[in-house]
Amino acid sequence: MKRFIVINGPNLNRLGKREPSVYGYETLGDLEALLIKAAIDLEVEVNCMQSNHEGEIIDCIHRSVDEADGIIINPGAFTHYSYAIRDAIASVDLPVIEVHISNVHKREAFRHHSVVSPVTKGQIVGLGLYGYILALTALAKGEE
Ligand code: CA2
């Protein structure tokens, strides 16, 4: 069975607790439950982690080489400036899909650029939590 890791970055543990107009009312726990249900339907395994710490996210990306067939990552604000996370993604030979809950292009200018996108398979933005399900579906059905 294919195994996928879902990594959520800084502040995403606050989902559903503030800024519902941007991020919705569902919590990180709700997201993880949705992913587990989708994984059962897709006949894959999914493991979710969230961290507010850059190094922990990097360690998780590295570990995924031995533990997973692909990564779904929402790096939070690290998206816009973490060359360390970008290099970690580039260092693993796994398909990586970047997801953003909000449409970053409709928001502040600093959110328009992702330093990680060039080393990912693809990016999904602005579709809320459904973006993670689409990413999981793409990885589950993909050839890699
Ligand atoms: O839209 C996304 O998924 C983001 O990755 C979310 C990040 C933001 O820095 C990116 O530009 C876009 C921030 C996550 C913060 O999440 C919160 C959730 C609830 C309340 C406050 C923040």
Side-chain angles (χ1 to χ4, degrees):
M1 192 181 267
K2 284 187 186 172
R3 299 169 298 170
F4 301 107
I5 309 279
V6 179
I7 302 174
N8 276 299
N11 297 307
L12 286 155
N13 54 315
R14 303 294 299 156
L15 270 184
K17 302 190 195 301
R18 279 204 55 229
E19 298 193 60
S21 60
V22 181
Y23 300 113
Y25 286 97
E26 287 169 300
T27 66
L28 184 64
D30 295 333
L31 169 61
E32 294 179 354
L34 281 175
L35 282 162
I36 288 165
K37 188 181 174 305
I40 292 167
D41 294 343
L42 290 161
E43 299 181 337
V44 299
E45 193 182 305
V46 73
N47 277 297
C48 300
M49 76 84 83
Q50 186 275 330
S51 176
N52 295 318
H53 305 280
E54 191 176 26
E56 278 182 13
I57 293 170
I58 292 166
D59 288 342
C60 181
I61 293 168
H62 293 168
R63 273 197 313 275
S64 298
V65 172
D66 298 316
E67 296 176 4
D69 299 294
I71 301 173
I72 295 164
I73 185 166
N74 181 345
F78 285 139
T79 303
H80 313 300
Y81 65 91
S82 176
Y83 298 114
I85 289 178
R86 174 198 169 117
D87 285 350
I89 293 171
S91 81
V92 298
D93 190 16
L94 288 172
V96 178
I97 300 185
E98 177 188 351
V99 173
H100 298 286
I101 296 166
S102 64
N103 182 347
V104 284
H105 303 291
K106 285 208 286 200
R107 301 182 63 195
E108 303 96 317
F110 78 86
R111 297 187 203 275
H112 297 178
H113 184 63
S114 166
V115 300
V116 307
S117 292
V119 292
T120 62
K121 186 175 170 70
Q123 188 197 44
I124 297 170
V125 309
L127 303 183
L129 302 191
Y130 190 57
Y132 292 83
I133 307 298
L134 290 176
L136 185 66
T137 306
L139 288 177
K141 306 237 181 241
E143 288 160 24
E144 282 173 296

